[in-house]
């Protein structure tokens, strides 16, 4: 295979998982702006996700969030997804939207609240059994607001104990992905604030516990690609929640704020063997003011563009320059790839996959946006907490 053919073939097998919640209404703590045509049910979210996959060809799975996507029959929901050319992906737990969780969930000082949170996590594994999902994605809003509010070390013990119980419940082919976030909603201490804390818990648990890197969950200036390289080196990178941030956990479209950072991350993924392993490439975004489906299409395309550029890095030239200590040549090897306009290459890849070379235009022409505005009248739109 020529080098270009290998790059194209890698791009054709790309898989970006879209999040069910990105299709629903969202906003900030100031206002949730409702949009017309927004899904009312998990099935309608899947129908929208099917549009993203139909036009990009690389978004074959959808992550669910429980209880936002609660249904009576998860097997039937998986079948519905399949009928739409999709599969259900990671199951995301929610231990942050119940009054009982004011002081935390599995780190809460009260054993009864910890039990309630754990039962929810175990229920999420039951759901995975029914949907055929591989990954349980755990993010804990647990933390404290004031020094002295709770015992930091005891909270780690409770976390370890809770995670171990869930880990025991996992099937042979199931994994637990632990997500870290440095602050919010807790402002003084967070129980899983960084990759190191997530890593030590996952290491203790075993192979099926892996760290998930949400690109929006770091302090400004953090070298995320270093974290990615390190986790891959330790076989502990389970996946990504991709999004962009300018200030805090902004959940904007991936690649919008810093496409260069996304390229650097994808380069380390490829360099570290993560592109062809079990790393899950998920989006975790909210489209508060822009149209949701085209924003998700755009996001998938942004990931594709960063990946294409990362695949184009002349790794032999880079390695030679690094060996020679040629700082400028090494940097140039990366920058040459980053500065390549990969849009024509991706258009060609799409044509070879039988797709329209321009997914955004194809979606606009499809009439789906008008159809859902016309048909989805009445009912309760999906959104935060619904
Ligand atoms: C938390 O900020 C987070 O990134 C977690 O992944 C949640 O599951 C997701 O956002 C949606 O609230
Ligand atoms: Mn996330």
């Amino acid at each position: 295979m020529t080098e270009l053919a290998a790059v194209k073939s890698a791009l054709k097998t790309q898989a970006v998982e879209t999040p069910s919640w990105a299709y629903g209404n969202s906003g900030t703590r100031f206002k949730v702006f409702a949009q017309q045509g927004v899904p009312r049910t998990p099935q309608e979210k899947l129908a929208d996700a099917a549009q993203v996959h139909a036009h990009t060809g690389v978004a074959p799975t959808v992550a669910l969030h429980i209880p936002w996507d609660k249904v009576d029959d998860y097997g039937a929901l998986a079948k519905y997804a399949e009928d739409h050319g999709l599969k259900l992906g990671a199951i995301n737990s929610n231990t942050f939207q119940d009054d009982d969780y004011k002081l935390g969930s599995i780190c809460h000082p009260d054993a009864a609240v910890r039990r309630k949170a754990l039962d929810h996590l175990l229920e999420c594994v039951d759901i995975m059994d029914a949907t055929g999902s591989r990954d349980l994605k755990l993010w804990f809003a647990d933390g404290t607001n004031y020094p002295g509010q709770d015992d930091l070390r005891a909270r780690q013990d409770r976390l370890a104990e809770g995670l171990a119980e869930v880990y025991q419940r996992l099937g042979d082919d199931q994994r637990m992905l632990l997500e870290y976030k440095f602050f919010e909603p807790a402002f003084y201490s967070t129980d899983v604030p960084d990759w190191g804390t997530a890593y030590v818990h996952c290491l203790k648990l075993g192979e099926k516990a892996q760290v998930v890197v949400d690109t929006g969950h770091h302090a400004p200036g953090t070298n995320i690609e270093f974290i990615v390289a390190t986790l891959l080196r330790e076989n502990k990178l389970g996946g990504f929640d991709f999004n962009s941030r300018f200030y805090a956990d902004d959940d904007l479209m991936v690649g919008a704020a810093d496409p260069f950072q996304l390229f650097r991350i994808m380069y380390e993924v490829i360099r570290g063997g993560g592109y062809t392993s079990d790393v899950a490439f998920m989006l975790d975004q909210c489209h508060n003011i822009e149209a949701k489906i085209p924003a998700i299409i755009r996001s998938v395309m942004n990931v594709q563009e960063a990946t294409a550029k990362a695949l184009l890095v002349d790794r032999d030239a880079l390695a030679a320059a690094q060996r020679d200590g040629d700082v400028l040549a090494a940097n140039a090897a990366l920058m040459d790839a980053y500065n390549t306009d990969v849009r024509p290459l991706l258009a060609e890849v799409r044509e070879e996959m039988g797709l329209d070379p321009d997914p955004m235009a194809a979606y606009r022409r499809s009439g789906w946006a008008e159809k859902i505005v016309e048909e989805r009248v009445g009912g309760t739109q999906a959104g935060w907490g619904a």
Side-chain angles (χ1 to χ4, degrees), residues 15-138:
V16 178
E17 182 159 312
T18 71
S20 70
W21 53 100
Y23 298 94
N25 284 325
S26 58
T28 63
R29 61 196 164 112
F30 299 102
K31 171 76 179 160
V32 173
F33 294 102
Q35 293 186 17
Q36 284 187 300
V38 156
R40 282 107 16 116
T41 61
Q43 287 80 358
E44 289 182 349
K45 293 178 192 173
L46 290 172
D48 286 358
Q51 288 293 310
V52 175
H53 186 45
H55 296 298
T56 62
V58 294
T61 58
V62 182
L64 300 185
H65 216 300
I66 308 297
W68 298 342
D69 295 312
K70 212 172 172 69
V71 289
D72 291 335
D73 185 342
Y74 289 96
L77 191 67
K79 170 81 174 58
Y80 185 91
E82 244 163 64
D83 292 343
H84 285 73
L86 300 169
K87 274 193 172 352
L88 297 179
I91 300 299
N92 287 253
S93 58
N94 183 328
T95 51
F96 49 89
Q97 275 188 320
D98 196 285
D99 283 341
D100 283 339
Y101 299 140
K102 187 166 76 173
L103 301 181
S105 64
I106 68 167
C107 304
H108 198 285
D110 181 343
V113 177
R114 296 205 292 279
R115 190 64 256 157
K116 172 175 168 160
L118 274 169
D119 286 344
H120 167 69
L121 302 183
L122 296 173
E123 183 202 345
C124 286
V125 185
D126 293 342
I127 293 171
M128 289 161 68
D129 290 341
T131 57
S133 299
R134 178 190 59 182
D135 295 332
L136 171 67
K137 182 140 69 68
L138 302 172

Side-chain angles (χ1 to χ4, degrees), residues 153-362:
R153 182 169 165 156
R155 291 182 75 92
Q156 287 299 304
D157 295 340
R158 298 172 204 146
L159 178 64
E161 197 181 308
L163 290 175
E165 184 175 334
V166 181
Y167 189 87
Q168 289 310 316
R169 166 67 183 83
L170 293 174
D172 290 345
D173 298 323
Q174 293 175 336
R175 311 189 303 176
M176 163 195 275
L177 305 184
L178 183 58
E179 182 173 346
Y180 59 90
K181 176 171 174 174
F182 72 130
F183 87 107
E184 192 195 42
F187 295 119
Y188 164 59
S189 71
T190 293
D191 294 312
V192 191
D194 50 32
W195 73 271
T197 308
Y199 174 77
V200 292
H201 282 282
C202 288
L203 190 66
K204 202 166 259 178
L205 289 163
E207 263 177 23
K208 289 187 276 181
Q210 299 265 314
V211 180
V212 63
V213 175
D214 183 313
T215 47
H217 290 186
H218 306 84
T222 302
N223 184 335
I224 300 176
E225 60 269 27
F226 174 81
I227 299 171
V228 169
T230 304
L231 288 172
L232 274 170
R233 188 167 177 273
E234 301 300 330
N235 281 319
K236 276 290 181 208
L237 181 66
F240 288 96
D241 265 4
F242 280 135
N243 52 59
S244 281
R245 74 187 293 274
F246 285 102
Y247 297 102
D249 185 19
D250 303 348
D251 280 343
L252 299 174
M253 293 186 295
V254 59
D258 191 346
F260 183 40
Q261 179 189 61
L262 183 60
F263 159 78
R264 299 192 311 262
I265 290 172
M266 287 312 300
Y267 174 70
E268 288 306 330
V269 166
I270 291 161
R271 159 72 183 83
Y275 193 66
T276 47
S277 71
D278 287 333
V279 174
F281 298 93
M282 302 170 281
L283 304 182
D284 177 11
Q285 308 185 152
C286 292
H287 307 292
N288 301 348
I289 58 167
E290 66 275 27
K292 294 163 199 307
I293 300 171
I296 299 168
I297 292 175
R298 166 59 63 204
S299 306
V300 170
M301 292 171 71
N302 287 351
V303 176
Q304 283 184 298
E305 285 175 22
T307 307
K309 291 176 182 202
L311 287 164
L312 286 175
V313 171
D314 183 340
R315 288 177 54 187
D316 293 338
L318 178 60
Q322 289 173 344
R323 241 185 349 259
D324 296 346
D326 190 337
V327 176
L328 293 178
N331 180 238
L334 273 189
M335 295 313 292
D336 281 348
Y338 176 65
N339 287 319
T340 307
D341 182 357
V342 293
R343 290 172 298 179
L345 170 68
L346 283 163
E348 241 177 81
V349 164
R350 291 185 190 111
E351 277 179 329
E352 288 174 19
M353 291 169 77
L355 299 169
D356 191 292
D358 182 348
M360 294 292 279

